[in-house]
Amino acid sequence: MKEFSHAVFGSFTSAAMNKQNDHCNTHPELPSGSLRFALALALLIWLAALTSGMAQAQELRLLTSPWPPSNYIRTDGIPAGISVDVIEAIKDRLKLETPVEVLPWARGYLVAQSDPNVLLFTAGRTPERVDMGFHFVGPVVMWTHAPMARKGSEIAVDAVDAVRSQNLVVAGVRGSWQIRLLQDAGVQTVETENHETGARMLLAERVDLWITSRLQASSVLKDLGRDADSVTAIHTVKRSPSYLMISAETDPDIIARWEAAYEDLKQTDFFEKTVNKWSDQLGIALQFRPAEGFSARPAPHDKTGS
């Protein structure tokens, strides 16, 4: 910076002196004091622009993948969802305008592994990711994964083995850990391209059960024009908290600001308002617990006890 200042002032001073010695110049000379002030002002403006650009370059890149109702793209192309609302609230507190980018999970995860200053949401906190240096803010959403039966079904199981022993057929998304878990246990499965197909098969009585999360089931059923209580969660296979995941080697000051902003939100009515908003939109009762994040309250007809 010292060298830059010397170079700038030196060059301008030399030019000014040469100009004063130029008898052919007919324009009035700028007083030396005014010239120094103008040069100092120009330097300050340049430094402010540079500092602003550096700060912006160091802000987090915000990535998510479609996983409703936590994060998805609305029909108008705008990112939306429970977790997106959290991100937007934090951005407001930090006075940021960084857009949320929606990418396929595999691509977003690769970016987060490769680059610092990336926030990918939401993601599970695993030992592998902790070892990779990821930092986690939250949890934001708790996913309760369960086999779903049609409302009023007499099916009752208390373990995956019971699903197998009763020869029940379960629909699940191809390649998901949910369907693999059942297949590894010897359960009869039907693999589908998406959760919507699994829901349709269950409601049409083409399968006995559909494995998904309670939150996601509510979103899928809404899109199908069905009530959230059209299905019953009969056994909790796994509860998975998910977080705002920040990439390794991210500026610690940025991480600290996001952590502080998230904690500050807990002192407001933000989470209460968000629970009410999404309970109305999804047609199920939600709750927020700091140790778990947002989750679906057990419905009266659910048999999971969770």
Side-chain angles (χ1 to χ4, degrees), residues 20-267:
Q20 287 177 339
N21 292 330
D22 186 359
H23 297 288
C24 297
N25 180 24
T26 57
H27 296 283
E29 297 296 338
L30 187 66
S32 60
S34 298
L35 177 60
R36 285 195 297 270
F37 174 79
L39 292 173
L41 181 61
L43 179 60
L44 288 173
I45 293 173
W46 179 84
L47 288 173
L50 178 63
T51 302
S52 175
M54 290 174 63
Q56 186 172 2
Q58 290 179 349
E59 263 308 335
L60 294 179
R61 182 181 179 187
L62 306 176
L63 305 181
T64 191
S65 60
W67 198 256
S70 175
N71 17 273
Y72 61 95
I73 303 177
R74 297 188 325 209
T75 54
D76 59 3
I78 303 298
I82 299 171
S83 298
V84 174
D85 282 357
V86 174
I87 290 288
E88 293 299 331
I90 293 176
K91 284 169 55 180
D92 286 345
R93 297 188 79 82
L94 298 180
K95 297 181 174 18
L96 300 176
E97 298 181 358
T98 315
V100 172
E101 303 173 56
V102 181
L103 300 175
W105 170 260
R107 182 179 171 191
Y109 188 41
L110 181 61
V111 172
Q113 287 177 291
S114 305
D115 301 337
N117 299 338
V118 174
L119 187 152
L120 180 63
F121 68 98
T122 60
R125 178 173 180 162
T126 65
E128 178 187 19
R129 291 171 182 170
V130 171
D131 290 343
M132 292 168 66
F134 283 108
H135 189 89
F136 298 85
V137 178
V140 176
V141 177
M142 174 66 75
W143 301 98
T144 302
H145 305 278
M148 304 285 174
R150 291 178 295 278
K151 182 179 180 180
S153 170
E154 297 300 320
I155 295 175
V157 298
D158 57 5
V160 173
D161 286 345
V163 177
R164 183 192 67 247
S165 64
Q166 294 183 40
N167 295 317
L168 301 174
V169 180
V170 186
V173 173
R174 178 178 291 110
S176 68
W177 68 265
Q178 298 162 327
I179 202 72
R180 288 198 303 268
L181 181 146
L182 297 177
Q183 290 169 344
D184 290 344
V187 173
Q188 298 181 63
T189 62
V190 174
E191 297 186 65
T192 64
E193 290 300 319
N194 50 54
H195 282 298
E196 288 79 3
T197 302
R200 290 180 187 277
M201 293 183 72
L202 175 66
L203 296 173
E205 301 186 21
R206 294 171 56 193
V207 294
D208 301 301
L209 300 170
W210 161 45
I211 188 165
T212 184
S213 68
R214 297 182 70 246
L215 267 177
Q216 194 155 48
S218 66
S219 180
V220 170
L221 292 168
K222 179 185 177 184
D223 290 343
L224 294 178
R226 301 295 295 266
D227 292 335
D229 65 356
S230 299
V231 301
T232 301
I234 63 170
H235 167 62
T236 298
V237 172
K238 183 179 181 180
R239 302 184 80 238
S240 304
S242 60
Y243 298 76
L244 310 182
M245 186 172 74
I246 303 176
S247 58
E249 299 184 10
T250 293
D251 185 340
D253 290 339
I254 294 178
I255 295 175
R257 290 205 305 273
W258 276 77
E259 286 181 327
Y262 185 75
E263 292 302 315
D264 287 346
L265 284 178
K266 295 178 183 178
Q267 309 307 314

Side-chain angles (χ1 to χ4, degrees), residues 5-22 29 35-36 39:
S5 176
H6 176 74
V8 171
F9 282 101
S11 61
F12 274 95
T13 304
S14 297
M17 292 178 64
N18 290 336
K19 188 175 181 182
Q20 287 177 339
N21 292 330
D22 186 359
E29 297 296 338
L35 177 60
R36 285 195 297 270
L39 292 173

